[in-house]
Amino acid sequence: MRMYDVIYKKRKGGELTEEEIRSFISGYVAGEIPDYQASALLMAICFNGMNEAETAILTDAVANSGDTVDLSRFGTLTADKHSTGGVGDKTSLIVAPLAASLGAVVTKMSGRGLGHTGGTVDKLESIPGYRTALSAEEFIAQAERVGIVVVGQSGNMTPADKKLYALRDVTATVDCIPLMVSSIMGKKLAAGSHSIVLDVKVGSGAFMKTPEDAEELAREMVKIGKRCGRNVAALLTDMDTPLGCAVGNALEIKEAVSVLRGETRGPLREICVALAANMVSLALELPIDEALSRAEASLDSGAAFAKMKEWIAAQGGDVAYIEDTSRFPQAPGVFNVVSDRAGFVTAIDALKIGLASVLLGAGRASKDEEIDHSAGVVLRKTVGDSVAAGETLCTLYTAREDALRQATEDVRAAFAIADTRPEKRPLIYKTVR
Ligand code: URA
């Protein structure tokens, strides 16, 4: 097989055969196919798409390009979730213990922050002692003993996605549906859970900017997951506005703890309850209404919070920080950004808030940069709130005084304030099953 012919065929809109797709993935992972040919094929796929059969083969090839996790000993009880990425998206920190407290076995492999979006592994590393790398034996033993384990992606899982994602990031080929489906579902299939719930974000802070595009992505992922023998559901959720109030690693852990303690209500809790209920409904074959009321009850009774503490302790984290979140170190610089006019907050641009938090030290501008776990932004006003001139819109936490001016400009620009209260936007647009 000549790579030239494969690129040419896709460029002309042809359907790739199983052999062509599998040879591309194995050849690229082995370093036999250069980046320039892989880039050309990716771009041809962006222009001409892939049908369901091609996407399913590509997904399977990505999933099996490295190690896979065998969770068959847990039967159908295993449940995983994946978010397509957002700003202030700390749902995994809440949803994983919540679903585990209801009887699902939650084994999750999470990522680090990417661009303006945060990552669960960075957030968990705010907790002193928390181990994001476990051996395969430790991983399975903890899943058996505690019913929940959350680690970073192991060294040799889905190497095809690691290489392709880095290439897509610099060749403007990220937001292409068959490539996203194979990247996301490839990782989820390799991670082994029987049930998978996808949180597909829609809006300014997300890859999918419109509900229509997000729904197309969700439908494709559900279709491919089912074709590969898994239970899959996808929720389309808003990411025009950051989720919850905190953006930044330790700041988000604090907010997640407050939801798990049953102290914070509102959109973040609502999305987490819906995601956990869908996981439990699929894994335990419960009607969704029953799963929803069990999830609410677990937050109210403290069962979900107890499960979080058990999980963090099992992975070496210092639970004293979870019991008393004032122990997390506070950034040396704390600055309020105030409104220069009165009115109603009509929008908070998630992308701009995410970029400001990276400037403040909460994310990485380059791959190997250290992050500051105490840095970030806490929103004091949300969409629909009234605000007086001079009132605080948000608080910035940082050790980087030199980044303050730009970050302040960015967060100010993120807030839109008008004379009339905005219409309420949906938080969950749709569930696709
Ligand atoms: N997240 C992923 O893991 N892959 C994509 O392609 C897009 C978002």
Side-chain angles (χ1 to χ4, degrees), residues 100-304:
S101 75
L102 298 173
V105 175
V106 181
T107 58
K108 243 193 96 40
M109 298 200 174
S110 291
R112 294 194 180 275
L114 191 67
H116 66 281
T117 66
T120 302
V121 167
D122 291 332
K123 293 169 202 186
L124 287 169
E125 282 177 352
S126 314
I127 304 168
Y130 189 91
R131 295 172 60 210
T132 53
L134 298 181
S135 69
E137 295 72 35
E138 287 174 317
F139 182 91
I140 293 292
Q142 186 176 317
E144 273 177 339
R145 203 173 68 253
V146 192
I148 169 171
V149 47
V150 183
V151 294
Q153 269 154 30
S154 92
N156 193 38
M157 272 185 74
T158 56
D161 183 60
K162 288 194 187 101
K163 276 192 86 170
L164 283 173
Y165 199 93
L167 192 62
R168 288 166 58 210
D169 207 18
V170 292
T171 53
T173 52
V174 170
D175 57 346
C176 160
I177 287 184
L179 298 180
M180 290 182 82
V181 170
S182 57
S183 163
I184 294 171
M185 293 308 290
K187 286 189 286 255
K188 293 291 107 179
L189 296 180
S193 282
H194 188 66
S195 294
I196 300 163
V197 173
L198 303 159
D199 182 6
V200 181
K201 301 290 187 194
V202 189
S204 80
F207 289 114
M208 294 288 121
K209 306 290 181 203
T210 66
E212 293 73 29
D213 285 349
E215 184 169 347
E216 193 186 341
L217 174 64
R219 290 203 181 280
E220 290 302 314
M221 290 196 289
V222 170
K223 227 187 300 176
I224 298 292
K226 285 186 177 168
R227 210 177 149 128
C228 298
R230 310 294 170 95
N231 287 330
V232 194
L235 274 67
L236 271 53
T237 68
D238 179 65
M239 187 39 69
D240 246 358
T241 304
L243 187 53
C245 300
V247 180
N249 301 288
L251 297 168
E252 293 189 42
I253 298 267
K254 288 186 191 183
E255 190 177 12
V257 166
S258 142
V259 171
L260 282 162
R261 280 181 182 276
E263 292 164 357
T264 296
R265 293 185 173 263
L268 175 59
R269 169 168 164 144
E270 205 183 305
I271 288 187
C272 289
V273 164
L275 290 168
N278 272 281
M279 286 164 76
V280 167
S281 157
L282 292 177
L284 275 59
E285 292 183 27
L286 282 179
I288 187 68
D289 287 348
E290 172 67 22
L292 283 165
S293 58
R294 287 193 196 181
E296 296 279 3
S298 178
L299 288 175
D300 292 338
S301 69

Side-chain angles (χ1 to χ4, degrees), residues 17-18 47 66 81 113 128 154 156 159 211-212 237 241 256 267 280 291 297 312 319 354 373 379 387 400:
T17 64
E18 173 151 11
F47 285 135
K81 79 157 270 269
S154 92
N156 193 38
E212 293 73 29
T237 68
T241 304
V280 167
I312 298 296
V319 175
H373 288 104
L379 306 176
V387 59
R400 295 185 183 167

